[in-house]
């Protein structure tokens, strides 16, 4: 048979897939016709900047074929040997006992009859389930698709992502400048052009865009930073780790002690105030509360002026370095880059991370946020990009799609009970639990103030847990709890549906094999998440919608998630209700029809050709983010979700006052006396840091940022090529270990050398890693990426057994950012490290 070429899209770029005799022989970045590209041009200083006609996918996408054929694929439906739905269930053996292959019919019978039994016995709220943050690309098959349709139909208790990724920004920065509709991260429109034309310096504070890549947009923005470097824009990196962007940009590296970034920020404000280096007019016109904030910085309220010398004591950064940075920042047109989307960054996932994120906004507020070259910009979004033509992105599936032509996409779930996913083990093991925050809290500031408790009055505790992807042993916190949760008899039934074996797949009673995006039909726009990160595809040099063609039949006995839920719905007598009479391909067509794409290309051509590039038109008009605010005009950016657009408050930010708030009106209204998230931001010593009592016993601070060569638990463990990349895993004696990086000073003291197996431990657990001794990590800090997909305890099924898979999440605290702020804090974690001789 001759070779056929298909188009598809991954979560980090579009690909061409070459198939021969039903086998994928090759995959490469999508090969598009030259005539389809109409590159934008940015003019700056008499030069023209324009991207090449190609797609720069993330590195791991080049190994996607290996992942498709991975030995770690789940091939058949499986049942735990000692699980008998009509007899002994042996939940205590989850994670210990082996599995046997069963038929699809048997598997579907067991799962559907358990659904019936549990809902009849305890009510629908006893059924729960949870997805991961991310998923194979394509909106028809996305986690908001089949899983959400099916589960909503069952009226389940959703386990929601706590607003993670953006903790400090979401719970803190929203109270200084609004943008709750972006979960606390600022709009990014046209900030590439602004930087090329105006920036003189960029401060990357807790940001490594060369590794995190605008989340989904591959290496597209690497070129932009190269342009800025060649232009002579100075880059400063504030990061306890000399990250990869710092490496390629040859920037200035400032390495504070973990958890002290807010002190550093206060000292910068101190220099600006005492040396008269801030934009007084802007502060007067565009902000409120400065007079409440200033006395704290000067030490008038607590007797401690926040001088660079004081900050040196806290952070370990020399006072003269802080002064020099503050002066240069004020003297030059400086962009602040506080994490991969402008907001985010590991510094927001710490104890009191709200205070750091608020200070990022306020520092830039003191320098005229929104004026030319004075933006908050992640350097990963904000290329010229069409915003007129809408195509549904995955997060739109609940919102805009529901009101469009595919209105019945998502049935409404009347059950109001919810759980935050970080708290799931506590909810199961030790109810009741309670927290603040309603869902993603992207609709209003007040949503953050809603109090929730589990179990909710009138609802049942969770008895049936449907895990749909996820390696939570590697991505949540204090994760030995997850093992104890899975082994609890309170979970009467656990299903796992995934494409690959992940850290906890073997903690189920029934395992169902899902196929990948290459084995089913779908459609998706590269880089577009929609919803709370509206217009994220401006991180790509070209908007491209890909008809994700089925390249091969589902392998072994795997099935698409859609088909699995269709078959289950059929067993429950609800097939029509679930499918709405549509096949996957018919859903693809329905989404296409609901979008603006039919104005640009016919369905027949799109379906056959496999993609459409949406270029900007000749009349493209740049509207740099927040320029409108700095200039006191109405918002003119296309930030569709901004609720003030088009109203008489269109010139307002999303705060109560409509201005930047040094003293937060919203916090004042609800939590006027919260000392952990005070009305004006403060530096508060970490509850797990160098001032803590346990610091003597556990003197090393663990930082676990996002892995450079994998995408959370995607690609790790399932892509053997990655094990040959020493930044990712290092092989020793035939085993691929997870690296832990340590400064030579700390290593020498402990007799540790590169290549040694080391034990990282604290009272929460132990993880075995391979040591990499490097000057790139600050002394006192251990750097090890988060999100290992491999949980490999020395004694399987024993929750306190050391893990050698690299799930450093076992060591992190499950304590939240602060008492009213339920965000995760993996970067506030004390440990000790020793050579492992076991
Ligand atoms: N220490 C530390 N921990 C962190 C962070 C940190 O900075 N430090 N960051 C946090 C952040 S920001 C995030 S977003 C989370 C992410 O953490 P998770 O949500 O746990 O990670 P994902 O990689 O999104 O999980 C993907 C899962 O979905 C499965 N999957 C993918 N496609 C399909 C499909 O088509 N069908 C099915 N059935 N399954 C599929 C994959 O196999 C995998 O199991 O981690 C958080 N954890
Ligand atoms: N390759 C890859 N890219 C990804 C992901 C992935 O898993 N892999 N995940 C995606 C997702 S879901 C998200 S939310 C984003 C996250 O994007 P970010 O939140 O921006 O990423 P992080 O890696 O957590 O942090 C960025 C930098 O902050 C530093 N850092 C950590 N703690 C501190 C601290 O206390 N102070 C200071 N000053 N610096 C600190 C880290 O060393 C790192 O270099 O990335 C996205 N992109
Ligand atoms: Mo994330």
């Amino acid at each position: 048979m001759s070779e056929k070429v298909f188009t598809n899209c991954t979560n980090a770029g579009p690909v061409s897939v070459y198939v021969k005799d039903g086998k994928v022989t090759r995959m490469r970045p999508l090969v598009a016709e030259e005539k389809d590209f109409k590159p934008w041009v940015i003019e700056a200083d008499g030069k023209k900047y324009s991207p090449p006609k190609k797609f720069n996918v993330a590195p791991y996408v080049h190994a996607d074929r290996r992942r498709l054929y991975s030995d770690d694929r789940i091939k058949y439906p499986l049942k735990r040997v000692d699980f008998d739905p009509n007899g002994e269930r042996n939940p205590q053996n989850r994670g210990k006992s082996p599995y046997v292959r069963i038929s699809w019919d048997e598997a579907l019978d067991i799962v559907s009859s358990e659904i019936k039994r549990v809902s009849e016995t305890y009510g629908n709220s006893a059924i729960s389930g949870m997805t991961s943050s991310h998923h194979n690309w394509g909106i028809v098959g996305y986690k908001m698709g089949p899983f959400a349709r099916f589960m909503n139909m069952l009226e389940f208790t959703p386990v929601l992502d706590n607003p993670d990724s953006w903790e400090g920004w979401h719970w803190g920065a929203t109270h200084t400048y609004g943008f709750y509709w972006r979960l606390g991260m600022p709009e990014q429109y046209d900030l590439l052009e602004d930087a090329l034309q105006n920036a003189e310096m960029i401060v990357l504070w807790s940001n490594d865009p060369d590794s995190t890549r605008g989340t989904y947009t591959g290496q597209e923005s690497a070129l932009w930073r190269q342009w800025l470097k060649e232009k002579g824009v100075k880059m400063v990196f504030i990061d306890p780790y000399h990250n990869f962007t710092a490496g390629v940009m040859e920037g200035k590296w400032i390495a504070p002690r973990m958890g002290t970034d807010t002190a550093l920020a206060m000292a910068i404000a101190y220099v600006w105030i005492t040396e008269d280096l801030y934009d007084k007019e802007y502060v007067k016109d565009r902000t409120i509360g400065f007079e409440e904030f200033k006395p704290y910085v000067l030490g008038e309220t607590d007797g401690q002026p926040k001088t660079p010398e004081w900050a040196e004591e806290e952070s370990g950064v020399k006072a003269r370095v802080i002064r020099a940075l503050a002066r240069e920042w004020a003297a030059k047109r400086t962009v602040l880059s506080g994490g991969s989307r402008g907001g985010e960054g590991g510094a927001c996932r710490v104890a009191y991370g709200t205070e750091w994120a608020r200070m990022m906004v306020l520092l830039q507020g003191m320098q005229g946020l929104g004026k030319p070259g004075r933006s908050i910009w992640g350097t990963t979004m904000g290329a010229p990009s069409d915003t007129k033509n809408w195509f549904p992105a995955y997060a739109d599936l609940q919102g805009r799609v529901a009101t469009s032509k595919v209105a019945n996409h998502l049935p409404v779930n009347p059950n109001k009970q919810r759980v935050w996913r970080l708290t799931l083990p506590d909810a199961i093991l030790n109810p009741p639990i309670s927290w603040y925050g309603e869902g993603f809290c992207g609709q209003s500031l007040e949503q953050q103030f809603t109090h929730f408790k589990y179990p909710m009055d009138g609802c049942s505790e969770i008895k049936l847990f449907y895990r749909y992807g996820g390696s939570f042993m590697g991505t949540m916190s204090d994760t030995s709890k997850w093992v104890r949760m899975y082994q609890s008899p309170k979970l009467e039934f656990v299903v796992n549906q995934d494409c690959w074996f992940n850290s906890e797949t073997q903690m189920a009673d029934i395992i169902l094999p899902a196929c990948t995006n290459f084995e089913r039909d779908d459609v998706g726009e590269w880089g577009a998440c929609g919803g709370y990160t509206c217009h994220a595809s401006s991180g790509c040099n070209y908007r491209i919608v890909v008809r994700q063609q089925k390249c091969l039949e589902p392998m072994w006995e795997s099935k698409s998630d859609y088909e699995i839920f269709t078959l289950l719905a059929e067993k429950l007598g609800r097939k029509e209700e679930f499918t709405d009479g549509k096949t996957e391909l018919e859903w693809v067509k329905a989404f296409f029809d609901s979008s603006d794409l039919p104005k640009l290309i016919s369905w027949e051509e799109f379906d056959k050709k496999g993609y459409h590039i949406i270029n900007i038109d000749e009349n493209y008009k740049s509207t740099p983010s927040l320029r409108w605010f700095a200039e006191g005009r109405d918002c003119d950016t296309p930030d569709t979700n901004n609720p003030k657009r088009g109203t008489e408050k269109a010139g307002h930010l999303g705060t109560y006052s409509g201005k930047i708030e040094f003293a937060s009106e919203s916090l004042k209204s609800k939590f006027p006396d919260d000392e952990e998230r005070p009305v004006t931001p403060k530096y508060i010593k970490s509850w797990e840091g160098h001032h803590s009592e346990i610091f003597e016993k556990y003197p090393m601070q663990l930082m676990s940022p996002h892995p450079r060569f994998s995408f959370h638990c995607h690609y790790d463990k399932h892509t053997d090529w990655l094990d040959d990349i020493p930044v990712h895993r290092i092989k020793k004696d035939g085993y691929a270990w997870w690296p832990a990086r340590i400064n030579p000073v700390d290593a020498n003291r402990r007799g540790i050398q590169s290549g040694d197996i080391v034990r990282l431990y604290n009272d929460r657990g132990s993880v075995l890693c391979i040591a990499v001794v490097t000057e790139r990590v600050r002394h006192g800090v251990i750097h090890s990426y988060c999100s290992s997909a491999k949980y490999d305890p020395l004694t399987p099924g024993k929750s306190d057994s050391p893990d050698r898979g690299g799930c450093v999440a076992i060591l992190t605290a499950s304590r939240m950012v602060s008492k009213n702020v339920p965000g995760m804090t993996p970067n506030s974690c004390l440990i000790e490290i020793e050579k492992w001789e076991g």
Side-chain angles (χ1 to χ4, degrees):
M1 225 167 81
S2 66
E3 189 177 64
K4 263 200 90 173
V5 188
F6 296 88
T7 52
N8 211 293
C9 195
T10 70
N11 67 23
V15 286
S16 293
V17 184
Y18 298 74
V19 179
K20 210 175 166 184
D21 301 327
K23 275 206 133 147
V24 176
T25 53
R26 184 181 180 204
M27 246 188 240
R28 61 167 163 163
L30 191 123
V31 184
E33 289 177 47
E34 164 125 18
K35 68 170 172 50
D36 292 331
F37 294 96
K38 300 213 169 49
W40 42 260
V41 180
I42 291 175
E43 293 188 35
D45 299 338
K47 274 189 80 176
K48 290 186 173 178
Y49 296 91
S50 199
K53 298 176 178 178
K54 61 172 188 172
F55 307 111
N56 302 288
V57 303
Y60 40 77
V61 175
H62 295 280
D64 231 318
R65 193 177 63 87
R66 307 291 299 178
R67 188 167 79 124
L68 176 65
Y69 290 106
S70 165
D71 290 340
D72 248 340
R73 282 285 299 268
I74 303 170
K75 297 177 178 154
Y76 310 101
L78 300 169
K79 185 175 82 69
R80 185 158 53 77
V81 290
D82 48 6
F83 169 75
D84 176 1
N86 304 312
E88 287 300 318
R89 290 177 178 243
N90 294 305
Q92 75 285 357
N93 289 342
R94 291 184 186 132
K96 290 181 205 163
S97 303
Y99 288 79
V100 282
R101 182 175 164 182
I102 55 173
S103 68
W104 263 109
D105 208 44
E106 186 182 352
L108 294 166
D109 269 337
I110 295 175
V111 177
S112 58
S113 50
E114 281 296 297
I115 289 174
K116 269 193 229 146
R117 181 186 68 81
V118 168
S119 65
E120 278 160 17
T121 318
Y122 305 102
N124 295 335
S125 58
I127 296 172
S128 185
M130 168 174 167
T131 68
S132 48
S133 296
H134 309 277
H135 193 275
N136 288 325
W137 209 245
I139 54 169
V140 173
Y142 212 73
K143 59 179 185 145
M144 279 88 161
F147 174 84
R149 268 181 80 76
F150 184 74
M151 288 295 167
N152 275 12
M153 204 175 83
L154 300 182
E155 304 180 359
F156 80 134
T157 293
V159 183
L160 300 175
D161 303 17
N162 53 293
D164 73 15
S165 308
W166 38 74
E167 297 44 27
W169 295 84
H170 184 65
W171 299 98
T174 47
H175 299 287
T176 63
Y177 72 161
F179 287 117
Y180 53 80
W181 57 93
R182 291 183 163 267
L183 305 176
M185 292 166 293
E187 46 175 30
Q188 298 285 288
Y189 301 100
D190 293 306
L191 291 179
L192 171 60
E193 182 191 78
D194 175 58
L196 283 167
Q197 293 176 346
N198 302 307
E200 294 170 306
M201 183 161 101
I202 304 183
V203 175
L204 292 102
W205 198 323
S206 193
N207 193 12
D208 183 10
D210 200 72
S211 296
T212 52
R213 311 183 186 103
T215 304
Y216 299 121
T217 49
Q219 294 292 53
E220 291 280 280
S221 65
L223 177 68
W224 312 347
R225 289 182 295 276
Q226 203 59 41
W227 288 338
L228 290 161
K229 178 184 170 190
E230 283 160 14
K231 275 198 79 207
V233 176
K234 178 170 177 175
M235 305 216 190
V236 178
F237 293 82
I238 305 179
D239 193 323
Y241 180 59
H242 187 258
N243 67 41
F244 285 84
T245 318
V248 280
M249 292 292 117
E250 296 162 22
K252 161 90 185 159
W253 179 34
I254 297 173
R257 195 180 264 140
M258 305 283 302
T260 64
D261 293 88
T262 307
L264 206 61
M266 289 294 174
I268 292 171
Y270 180 89
V271 175
W272 289 349
I273 292 170
T274 54
E275 299 186 10
D276 207 10
L277 296 176
Y278 65 99
D279 189 333
K280 287 208 255 336
E281 210 170 314
Y282 185 98
V283 168
K284 182 170 124 306
D285 293 342
R286 317 301 309 140
T287 78
I288 63 161
F290 188 68
E291 293 312 317
E292 285 174 66
F293 168 75
K294 193 170 136 186
Y296 168 75
V297 176
L298 296 178
E300 289 162 8
T301 49
D302 63 351
Q304 176 57 68
K306 309 303 171 301
T307 59
E309 284 69 21
W310 163 81
E312 174 175 339
E313 280 282 297
E314 284 303 310
S315 68
V317 178
K318 292 267 179 285
R320 64 176 161 75
V321 173
I322 302 173
R323 259 195 195 92
L325 172 65
R327 290 172 184 159
E328 193 169 3
W329 185 331
K332 288 183 168 160
R333 283 189 303 272
T334 302
V335 171
L336 174 58
S337 195
S340 58
R341 295 180 179 185
E344 298 197 341
C348 86
R349 279 173 228 113
V350 302
Y352 314 119
T354 45
E355 307 310 286
W356 171 74
R358 294 168 79 188
M359 281 307 290
M360 292 300 98
V361 176
L362 297 179
L363 286 183
Q364 211 53 343
M366 289 176 76
Q367 297 300 334
L369 174 60
K371 290 188 172 179
R374 301 203 185 261
S375 62
I376 298 181
W377 179 49
T379 77
T380 59
M381 285 183 213
S385 184
D386 169 88
T387 52
K388 291 198 286 276
N389 292 293
W390 177 71
F391 192 83
Y394 69 74
D396 294 330
L397 294 180
Q398 284 143 329
R400 188 150 171 195
V401 163
T403 55
S404 72
K405 289 180 206 157
V406 267
N408 46 3
H409 172 69
L410 205 61
V412 176
N413 180 2
N415 173 15
K416 295 286 173 244
Q417 175 165 265
R418 267 131 192 64
V419 184
W420 261 175
R421 70 176 179 175
L422 283 174
T423 61
L424 185 69
D426 288 327
I428 302 294
L429 296 168
N430 302 306
I433 59 157
S434 68
W435 68 94
Y436 277 102
E438 182 191 339
F440 264 28
C441 310
Q443 310 295 325
S444 70
L445 281 174
E446 289 73 26
Q447 272 182 307
Q448 290 190 11
F449 303 149
T450 312
H451 196 246
F452 268 86
K453 85 172 192 259
Y454 167 92
M456 213 175 210
D457 294 339
C459 289
S460 166
E461 286 185 40
I462 293 165
K463 305 287 179 187
L464 184 159
F465 184 56
Y466 206 115
R467 171 190 159 280
Y468 178 91
S471 279
F472 305 117
M473 290 303 296
T475 59
M476 296 296 110
S477 43
D478 192 358
T479 50
S480 302
K481 282 186 188 172
W482 285 75
V483 181
R484 295 195 286 278
M485 172 191 89
Y486 280 118
Q487 292 176 346
S488 160
K490 291 178 84 176
L491 288 183
E492 295 178 6
F493 185 57
V494 178
V495 193
N496 260 334
Q497 180 167 316
D498 202 334
C499 316
W500 299 271
F501 281 99
N502 271 295
S503 61
E504 64 209 76
T505 314
Q506 275 127 308
M507 292 185 199
D509 303 323
I510 296 289
I511 299 175
L512 301 177
C515 72
T516 68
N517 52 307
F518 299 108
E519 300 153 271
R520 54 180 174 76
D521 276 302
D522 213 320
V523 63
E525 177 180 346
W526 180 19
C529 10
Y532 302 128
T533 318
C534 183
H535 301 132
S537 49
S538 71
C540 302
N541 286 310
Y542 304 91
R543 276 188 75 186
I544 175 172
V545 184
V546 185
R547 169 64 183 93
Q548 299 185 220
Q549 299 165 339
K550 184 177 184 179
C551 310
L552 69 168
E553 287 303 316
M555 289 192 281
W556 306 288
E557 281 190 11
S558 70
K559 293 182 190 296
S560 73
D561 292 302
Y562 186 74
E563 189 183 349
I564 296 172
F565 288 118
T566 304
L567 291 167
L568 280 174
E570 190 170 19
K571 294 258 180 206
L572 297 169
R574 302 175 78 173
K575 180 177 170 186
E576 262 309 293
E577 194 186 336
F578 175 73
T579 62
D580 195 33
K582 291 191 190 71
T583 64
E584 282 167 294
L585 193 55
E586 284 163 346
W587 278 109
V588 171
K589 175 80 167 41
F591 285 129
F592 175 89
D593 288 339
S594 78
S595 78
D596 289 325
L597 219 49
K599 291 192 255 167
L600 308 173
I601 185 171
S602 73
W603 163 254
E604 288 68 29
E605 194 190 343
F606 176 66
D607 186 40
K608 183 153 168 271
K609 184 175 177 184
Y611 67 90
H612 182 76
I613 298 178
I614 306 176
N615 292 294
I616 59 168
D617 62 28
E618 315 75 64
N619 310 319
Y620 183 80
K621 195 178 153 285
S622 148
T623 53
S625 289
L626 289 167
R627 185 68 43 81
W628 54 275
F629 177 72
E631 294 178 353
R633 292 183 280 114
D634 286 356
C635 176
D636 61 354
T637 69
D639 189 12
T640 329
N641 295 344
N642 178 346
K644 317 251 170 192
R645 271 166 102 243
T647 72
E648 79 276 15
K649 292 192 170 171
H652 285 210
L653 294 176
T655 50
Y656 282 11
S657 65
K659 296 187 176 185
I660 292 176
E661 298 186 349
F662 283 88
S664 161
E665 297 286 309
S666 35
L667 291 178
K668 207 179 274 175
S669 78
K670 175 68 188 180
F671 298 116
D673 303 317
D674 183 351
E675 283 167 8
E676 303 192 334
R677 188 175 42 163
V679 170
T680 55
K682 296 208 163 81
Y683 170 64
I684 311 167
K685 290 174 184 165
S686 174
W687 40 253
E688 189 159 326
H690 67 291
H691 292 292
S692 308
E693 238 170 70
I694 57 162
F695 186 64
E696 228 169 282
K697 193 168 164 204
Y698 299 119
M700 300 298 293
Q701 296 187 291
L702 174 70
M703 75 178 323
S704 42
H706 292 224
R708 178 170 168 84
F709 285 105
S710 53
F711 192 86
H712 292 298
C713 19
H714 286 94
Y715 297 90
D716 178 43
K717 185 171 182 274
H718 317 128
T719 315
D720 53 357
W721 284 0
L722 293 193
D723 294 346
D724 293 326
I725 300 176
V727 170
H728 189 73
R729 282 188 185 268
I730 296 172
K731 284 185 189 154
K732 182 172 182 176
D733 301 331
Y735 192 80
W737 298 86
W738 196 249
R741 297 169 188 83
I742 180 170
N743 184 282
V745 174
D746 300 312
N748 291 343
R749 218 171 272 158
R750 293 167 176 80
I752 292 170
Q753 292 182 334
S754 280
D756 284 348
I757 302 306
V758 284
R759 183 168 83 102
L760 283 57
Y761 65 97
N762 59 19
D763 290 343
R764 292 182 283 264
S766 313
V767 183
L768 304 182
C769 291
I770 191 160
V772 175
V773 180
T774 170
E775 300 270 2
R776 285 179 62 183
V777 57
R778 185 195 195 283
H779 65 84
V781 173
I782 300 291
H783 175 288
S784 187
Y785 286 126
C786 67
S787 304
S788 159
K790 179 156 72 178
Y791 172 59
D792 187 10
L794 296 182
T795 315
K798 207 164 160 289
S799 67
D800 57 357
S801 166
D803 163 48
R804 60 171 190 162
C807 293
V808 294
I810 289 171
L811 304 168
T812 61
S814 55
R815 186 163 166 183
M816 302 290 180
V817 173
S818 65
K819 63 175 185 271
N820 298 317
V821 175
M824 82 186 310
T825 54
N827 293 321
S828 293
C829 175
L830 291 175
I831 61 166
E832 180 52 291
I833 179 169
E834 65 181 15
K835 203 167 154 170
W836 168 255
E837 317 273 8

